[in-house]
Amino acid sequence: MNKLLLIDGNSIMNRGFYGLPDLTNSQGLHTNAILGFLNIFFKVYEEEHPTHICVAFDLKAPTFRHKMYDGYKGTRKPMADELREQFPVIKDVLSAMHIHISEMEGYEADDILGTLSRMGENEGYDVTVLSGDRDLLQLATEKIQIRIPKTKAHATVIENYFAADVKETYGVSPVEFIEMKGLMGDTSDNIPGVPGIGEKTAGKIIAAYSTIDNVYAHIDEVKPDKVRNNLITYREQAFLSRTLSEIKTDCGLQLSVSDTAVASEDMFNPDSYELFAKLEFKSILNRFDFQEGTKKEFVPAYDVTSDLNVFMELLSQWKGKKRIGLFPIILDRQLIGAAVSSDGNVTIVRVENFITEDMIINEIRELLDGNVTVSFLDFKEYIDTFRLTDSDPLFDCQVAAYLLNPLSQGYDYDYLMKDYLEHIVKDEKELTGKKELTVFSFDDEDFLRLFAYKAYTAEMASGILEEKLAETDMKKLYYDMELPCEFALHDMEVYGIRVDRQALLDYGEKLKTRINELTDEIHNLAGEDFNINSTKILGHILFEKLGLPSGKKTKSGYSTSVEVLEKIKDEHPIIPAILEYRQLTKLNSTYVEGLSVYIREDGRIHGKFNQTVTATGRISSTEPNLQNIPMRMELGRELRKVFIPEDGYVFLDADYSQIELRVLAHISKDETLIEAYKKSLDIHAITASEVFGVPLDKVDSKMRREAKAVNFGIVYGISSFGLGQDLDISRKDAQKYIDRYFETYKDVKKFLDTEVEEAKRDGYVKTLYNRIRPIPELKSNQFMTRNFGERVAMNSPIQGTAADIIKLAMVNVRSELKKRNLKSRMILQIHDELLIETHEDEIEEVKGILADKMTHAAELLVPLYIDMHEGRSWYDAK
């Protein structure tokens, strides 16, 4: 049986836009409406299996309804820019899928759907109309079903209506539904209807009289009097509203139902696949079956060899090349093979027969020593394997791609293939699934393709990436900062940091003792025992039983977030106890229990330091996150006591002092700020004096603390609302503080405003070292999103430059330690802080290196300053 699926394009796009969070692809294009549309479409497609499909859209031109009534849809808000930009894209997607699109000047999408639905029914088709607009219920018959998607419990459910269903739900037939709309009107379309008549009254009247004409034929019978009088007064308006509400079923389409035929294989084709890939819809890409040939997957030419003669012949060819791509194949820390790409041809060399692990390693080393650039996707993992040094001719595609677009979710071969080589391939998870690498993987076609992809991409993308780095003035940043930084991060991962396991256990017991004390205290203050970790029960205790002030109650109960509790911490002694309880339970679960699983046999934690994660250029730490050790509360700071140096070593901790404010002084060129730093004055005290209007010698600790919040808040583009919350003062007073700050540091204000304006113009900001931070949020039509983008524009050049400086310091400190052949080693970077495990014989020498390399990492208009401490634990050194 032929089945016709008709889709209200505008309605389903709107549902997708408002039903999904704000999504963008790596190019900054908003995609939530498109993805929402496709999710609903595929759900219905799989249920209906239509043979014919048409999607109807509204045109911007006025329709016959606008000409009939000036106020038609006159109260609708303009379409959000983020939604508007997605309509051309969804039309491109539908066209690529060979799905027919229909638009008609003078008519709405509803009229197109109405006309096609009747045509389909008359030609014997089963017809489904998909729309979120209940106006289309008037089209329902025994053969035409109206399907209306709704969101329930974060899932899309669809209500289905044939003619009998409309009658059952509304008490009127689909045709009578038009009459009903004439009486009740429609606020969303600004159809007036008859004042005083809503859905229930309209339904009762039409159920009794069937048509508006019949209502007026029996007008004297209509009750109550007020309704009857309104009907008499607004007679013309009722008939006009009915006409406006009626969907045309004969709008003279130059289209036949047969023109809308489409098969599954038509939709899933190379063009549509490429569009979905550009939109980064992996869930949609999974619907494509490469093996059926619906999309020809790119596969580079590759061979597999374990023949020594073949390998040696290939090596002689590779030695004459400028660049090769390399993907080492490692199993259980042993090299079992390598995929090498040269001129786009990949050879997968297997460790077997006379080809040994050492032979491959030595031959790759010989290529490097012969000045052949070896390009990897990520070489940090292979530094030890191939004895790589920072003087080797290396290229790292992932780091380069990260610099060019720091907002991407990842930089693996599939991303590089799509964005730089214009090839569409499956990602690693799609290709190999849950299969694990073994020595038998060389006989597995999926793994061989994976090896080939990674080597091919490493070679072929590297030249393009290098050109783009040059075009964006980031080549120096790449070679002088990012690549050497990989070696510093590798060393920190290899060295790790020693942990006193017993001290960690003792610390955990100390936490548990205090947690138990707090539990008893909280229960006593509440007057009953309860589960403190249950937000629902806690909300009941605090806001109903104890009657504490709260925000509004939602469907899920009261909010007991930190922000809510901080606001009422002085209302009752139970609140500070709960806040402390939460901090300590998190400390115990995240750090005591969390850290212990990462301690290796050597007694050290070897964490991961990530270079391609943050948008600002900062290094991040995972497995575990050692950059997030709590410092605000004493019991949190004590955790640092469990981190100790190797016997015969001490910790030296060097921390930049106010580096972001010093960067701000340099970039803004504010003379007041610059002079204060040149004279080594207390910048927070000076700000306090100016903001609070008191002499410098009258500034107390509270004023200085608040001025410090203002200083750092300005760096982060803080609002009066945010500053008011931080300082627990009114928004008005907070704005006064900010205004006085800018009166004192006039060029800071000028700099921040300029950064925002240039970011709006260019779409990005830069650090002093040309690191780019794209800001797609500035194009948003939503105030909160746009406001966030403005704060990013203010902060990123400052925070990003500070991150660049600490990277340069890391590179220079590591280089000097190596140059002098010292035993001391850098083991941690925590934002603006370096931790050196320093041999006892080298303490003074390392102090000198830190002082020199950190304070001279950058030459700014103000001096860089570091605080340096020595200790037998990280706690003592801090």
Side-chain angles (χ1 to χ4, degrees):
M1 168 65 89
N2 285 330
K3 181 173 282 190
L4 173 63
L5 172 61
L6 302 172
I7 301 174
D8 183 346
N10 288 71
S11 173
I12 302 303
M13 282 289 283
N14 267 280
R15 176 159 291 277
F17 181 74
Y18 290 105
L20 290 179
D22 188 20
L23 304 173
T24 59
N25 68 354
S26 57
Q27 304 305 310
L29 172 72
H30 292 272
T31 58
N32 54 338
I34 303 166
L35 182 59
F37 180 102
L38 292 168
N39 286 341
I40 294 171
F41 166 74
F42 282 119
K43 175 180 173 66
V44 172
Y45 181 83
E46 288 166 359
E47 293 170 356
E48 298 279 347
H49 301 292
T51 55
H52 296 68
I53 305 172
C54 182
V55 182
F57 289 100
D58 294 330
L59 288 173
K60 199 172 183 180
T63 67
F64 73 90
R65 294 182 180 88
H66 292 92
K67 296 174 183 177
M68 187 181 295
Y69 176 55
D70 287 341
Y72 182 65
K73 294 190 176 180
T75 56
R76 286 201 174 179
K77 293 180 180 178
M79 185 184 291
D81 291 340
E82 296 91 336
L83 174 57
R84 183 181 292 106
E85 74 177 31
Q86 298 182 61
F87 273 91
V89 183
I90 189 62
K91 290 175 184 178
D92 287 344
V93 168
L94 294 170
S95 296
M97 295 174 71
H98 301 295
I99 293 173
H100 198 93
I101 295 170
S102 184
E103 301 167 320
M104 191 173 184
E105 191 167 336
Y107 293 91
E108 295 179 56
D110 290 0
D111 302 314
I112 297 170
L113 299 177
T115 301
L116 280 172
S117 67
R118 291 292 186 263
M119 289 167 62
E121 182 180 37
N122 293 337
E123 293 177 30
Y125 287 75
D126 282 341
V127 181
T128 292
V129 180
L130 177 64
S131 174
D133 187 352
R134 292 182 182 274
D135 288 353
L136 276 82
L137 292 176
Q138 63 184 269
L139 299 176
T141 68
E142 292 181 0
K143 295 280 287 182
I144 300 174
Q145 182 184 43
I146 314 301
R147 305 198 69 186
I148 299 178
K150 291 185 69 176
T151 302
K152 287 186 177 179
H154 305 293
T156 298
V157 296
I158 299 181
E159 296 178 358
N160 303 312
Y161 294 91
F162 285 107
D165 302 307
V166 176
K167 180 78 173 177
E168 182 181 342
T169 304
Y170 292 95
V172 296
S173 70
V175 174
E176 290 172 338
F177 191 77
I178 305 168
E179 310 290 329
M180 187 173 149
K181 292 280 288 186
L183 295 183
M184 62 185 276
D186 188 335
T187 55
S188 66
D189 288 340
N190 200 33
I191 297 174
V194 176
I197 297 182
E199 184 177 319
K200 287 185 179 179
T201 304
K204 288 178 182 178
I205 292 172
I206 296 303
Y209 298 102
S210 291
T211 68
I212 293 177
D213 301 80
N214 201 32
V215 170
Y216 283 102
H218 298 82
I219 191 66
D220 293 337
E221 302 171 11
V222 176
K223 302 288 184 181
D225 294 345
K226 184 178 179 182
V227 171
R228 183 177 66 253
N229 291 335
N230 282 355
L231 282 166
I232 293 169
T233 303
Y234 296 99
R235 178 188 174 99
E236 289 186 14
Q237 200 162 286
F239 284 104
L240 171 66
S241 297
R242 181 179 67 181
T243 302
L244 293 172
S245 299
E246 185 174 8
I247 294 172
K248 289 284 186 184
T249 56
D250 57 352
C251 63
L253 280 176
Q254 300 299 307
L255 174 69
S256 67
V257 176
S258 60
D259 293 333
T260 67
V262 64
S264 174
E265 57 267 26
D266 296 329
M267 295 192 296
F268 295 97
N269 63 72
D271 292 336
S272 62
Y273 189 96
E274 187 168 350
L275 268 175
F276 291 138
K278 286 180 179 177
L279 291 167
E280 297 167 13
F281 292 164
K282 285 193 175 182
S283 60
I284 307 293
L285 293 177
N286 289 335
R287 295 175 177 275
F288 286 73
D289 187 347
F290 288 121
Q291 293 180 347
E292 290 182 5
T294 55
K295 164 66 186 177
K296 188 177 181 182
E297 182 184 16
F298 171 77
V299 181
Y302 70 88
D303 290 309
V304 184
T305 187
S306 57
D307 186 302
L308 180 59
N309 292 327
V310 172
F311 180 46
M312 298 309 292
E313 185 179 335
L314 287 167
L315 280 169
S316 65
Q317 295 174 21
W318 296 340
K319 287 174 183 177
K321 302 296 180 181
K322 289 184 178 180
R323 185 192 308 260
I324 63 165
L326 176 66
F327 175 64
I329 305 165
I330 293 179
L331 176 65
D332 297 330
R333 299 184 183 181
Q334 278 195 306
L335 188 76
I336 61 170
V340 181
S341 178
S342 175
D343 296 329
N345 297 307
V346 179
T347 303
I348 300 169
V349 181
R350 185 174 184 175
V351 172
E352 194 176 62
N353 300 329
F354 295 104
I355 300 177
T356 65
E357 178 183 13
D358 286 343
M359 180 182 293
I360 294 176
I361 291 169
N362 291 334
E363 293 299 341
I364 295 296
R365 270 277 12 128
E366 193 171 323
L367 290 173
L368 287 164
D369 294 337
N371 214 32
V372 175
T373 296
V374 178
S375 181
F376 295 78
L377 292 184
D378 175 13
F379 71 66
K380 179 157 67 80
E381 301 299 315
Y382 313 112
I383 288 175
D384 288 338
T385 303
F386 295 101
R387 305 187 297 278
L388 304 178
T389 72
D390 50 13
S391 60
D392 284 330
L394 300 167
F395 195 87
D396 191 310
C397 291
Q398 291 191 357
V399 172
Y402 161 72
L403 287 180
L404 293 167
N405 179 19
L407 301 184
S408 178
Q409 297 299 306
Y411 305 92
D412 209 348
Y413 72 89
D414 55 311
Y415 169 82
L416 296 168
M417 280 272 203
K418 174 176 67 69
D419 272 37
Y420 296 99
L421 301 177
E422 298 183 354
H423 291 313
I424 302 303
V425 295
K426 289 181 178 179
D427 64 28
E428 186 167 346
K429 186 176 179 182
E430 293 173 294
L431 197 59
T432 59
K434 295 182 179 179
K435 292 189 287 188
E436 293 185 359
L437 177 69
T438 69
V439 291
F440 302 108
S441 297
F442 288 97
D443 301 318
D444 186 317
E445 187 68 27
D446 291 332
F447 274 104
L448 293 177
R449 282 192 179 190
L450 179 66
F451 304 155
Y453 281 144
K454 294 200 173 191
Y456 177 90
T457 307
E459 182 202 7
M460 303 304 287
S462 57
I464 298 171
L465 290 165
E466 193 165 33
E467 285 178 13
K468 290 189 177 295
L469 287 172
E471 290 169 9
T472 52
D473 294 324
M474 287 194 286
K475 201 168 179 180
K476 182 176 174 60
L477 171 72
Y478 178 74
Y479 282 109
D480 292 356
M481 185 188 301
E482 292 295 337
L483 290 196
C485 189
E486 282 199 70
F487 287 93
L489 298 179
H490 163 266
D491 288 354
M492 294 192 319
E493 291 177 355
V494 170
Y495 292 135
I497 185 168
R498 187 182 178 194
V499 180
D500 185 334
R501 191 186 292 271
Q502 186 56 51
L504 183 61
L505 294 173
D506 293 343
Y507 176 77
E509 289 303 315
K510 188 175 181 180
L511 284 181
K512 288 174 185 175
T513 299
R514 180 57 184 151
I515 289 169
N516 290 334
E517 290 172 356
L518 286 167
T519 301
D520 292 340
E521 182 182 342
I522 292 166
H523 288 165
N524 289 333
L525 289 167
E528 64 177 271
D529 291 354
F530 68 97
N531 181 0
I532 303 170
N533 299 317
S534 168
T535 55
K536 187 173 182 179
I537 298 172
L538 182 61
H540 167 74
I541 294 289
L542 298 180
F543 305 122
E544 292 183 2
K545 182 176 180 180
L546 298 180
L548 298 178
S550 70
K552 290 182 180 179
K553 187 177 182 181
T554 65
K555 289 181 181 179
S556 57
Y558 295 98
S559 171
T560 61
S561 67
V562 172
E563 291 77 14
V564 169
L565 297 187
E566 282 286 352
K567 289 178 183 177
I568 58 171
K569 63 184 177 184
D570 297 327
E571 297 286 337
H572 196 286
I574 197 172
I575 302 299
I578 290 168
L579 289 170
E580 186 183 353
Y581 170 88
R582 284 183 172 176
Q583 288 176 322
L584 299 189
T585 52
K586 184 178 179 181
L587 269 176
N588 187 53
S589 61
T590 304
Y591 295 106
V592 177
E593 296 170 2
L595 289 177
S596 59
V597 301
Y598 288 106
I599 303 174
R600 295 194 191 168
E601 291 181 3
D602 61 0
R604 302 173 79 93
I605 287 176
H606 299 266
K608 294 285 185 185
F609 295 94
N610 309 301
Q611 198 171 352
T612 60
V613 173
T614 70
T616 58
R618 275 189 165 192
I619 301 297
S620 70
S621 167
T622 52
E623 301 179 42
N625 183 357
L626 294 174
Q627 294 180 334
N628 207 27
I629 303 291
M631 287 295 290
R632 289 189 177 182
M633 54 187 301
E634 178 56 31
L635 202 49
R637 284 195 296 273
E638 284 189 22
L639 179 59
R640 291 193 173 204
K641 290 181 178 178
V642 309
F643 295 96
I644 57 174
E646 185 179 328
D647 294 344
Y649 286 74
V650 298
F651 281 154
L652 281 181
D653 186 286
D655 193 356
Y656 277 114
S657 173
Q658 302 173 0
I659 188 170
E660 291 183 352
L661 288 177
R662 292 171 190 268
V663 167
L664 175 61
H666 175 87
I667 298 180
S668 68
K669 295 181 171 59
D670 186 279
E671 287 299 330
T672 306
L673 204 50
I674 290 170
E675 280 303 306
Y677 275 120
K678 281 185 174 179
K679 294 177 180 177
S680 298
L681 300 178
D682 185 337
I683 195 68
H684 300 316
I686 290 174
T687 300
S689 174
E690 295 292 340
V691 167
F692 301 119
V694 298
L696 193 58
D697 58 358
K698 297 296 183 184
V699 171
D700 59 27
S701 59
K702 181 176 181 294
M703 290 177 183
R704 186 185 183 280
R705 188 166 57 252
E706 291 185 347
K708 183 177 180 179
V710 176
N711 274 330
F712 286 109
I714 294 297
V715 170
Y716 285 89
I718 201 167
S719 65
S720 57
F721 176 77
L723 183 62
Q725 283 197 316
D726 287 351
L727 298 181
D728 197 19
I729 58 176
S730 71
R731 190 170 182 173
K732 186 177 180 181
D733 286 342
Q735 187 59 52
K736 285 180 183 177
Y737 288 1
I738 293 172
D739 291 342
R740 286 176 189 164
Y741 177 96
F742 286 133
E743 287 172 11
T744 304
Y745 307 113
K746 291 183 176 63
D747 286 327
V748 169
K749 171 67 171 168
K750 184 179 177 182
F751 160 73
L752 295 175
D753 289 344
T754 301
E755 285 298 310
V756 172
E757 289 307 309
E758 290 182 354
K760 287 178 179 177
R761 182 193 69 205
D762 302 331
Y764 61 85
V765 291
K766 283 188 172 185
T767 70
L768 281 180
Y769 297 88
N770 287 330
R771 183 185 302 278
I772 289 174
R773 170 43 157 113
I775 314 177
E777 295 87 354
L778 289 172
K779 295 180 181 177
S780 175
N781 196 43
Q782 297 176 8
F783 173 78
M784 294 298 289
T785 304
R786 198 167 60 249
N787 191 253
F788 169 75
E790 290 178 359
R791 293 199 304 274
V792 170
M794 296 178 203
N795 171 250
S796 289
I798 303 165
Q799 189 182 99
T801 297
D804 289 344
I805 290 172
I806 192 70
K807 280 183 176 177
L808 287 172
M810 290 170 63
V811 169
N812 294 340
V813 168
R814 173 187 178 272
S815 176
E816 194 64 22
L817 293 174
K818 296 278 186 186
K819 180 181 175 182
R820 301 190 190 191
N821 200 27
L822 299 181
K823 299 174 184 175
S824 304
R825 55 271 183 129
M826 183 167 54
I827 59 171
L828 272 185
Q829 184 256 47
I830 312 93
H831 304 313
D832 305 331
E833 173 187 350
L834 294 183
L835 186 66
I836 312 295
E837 192 168 30
T838 308
H839 193 275
E840 290 174 344
D841 296 338
E842 301 169 352
I843 293 173
E844 293 307 315
E845 189 172 3
V846 172
K847 282 182 178 180
I849 291 171
L850 286 171
D852 176 40
K853 299 304 177 184
M854 291 184 73
T855 58
H856 294 102
E859 297 302 324
L860 304 181
L861 295 173
V862 298
L864 289 174
Y865 179 80
I866 61 169
D867 294 311
M868 190 162 19
H869 301 279
E870 173 188 338
R872 295 286 174 181
S873 73
W874 191 8
Y875 179 89
D876 295 333
K878 186 60 182 170

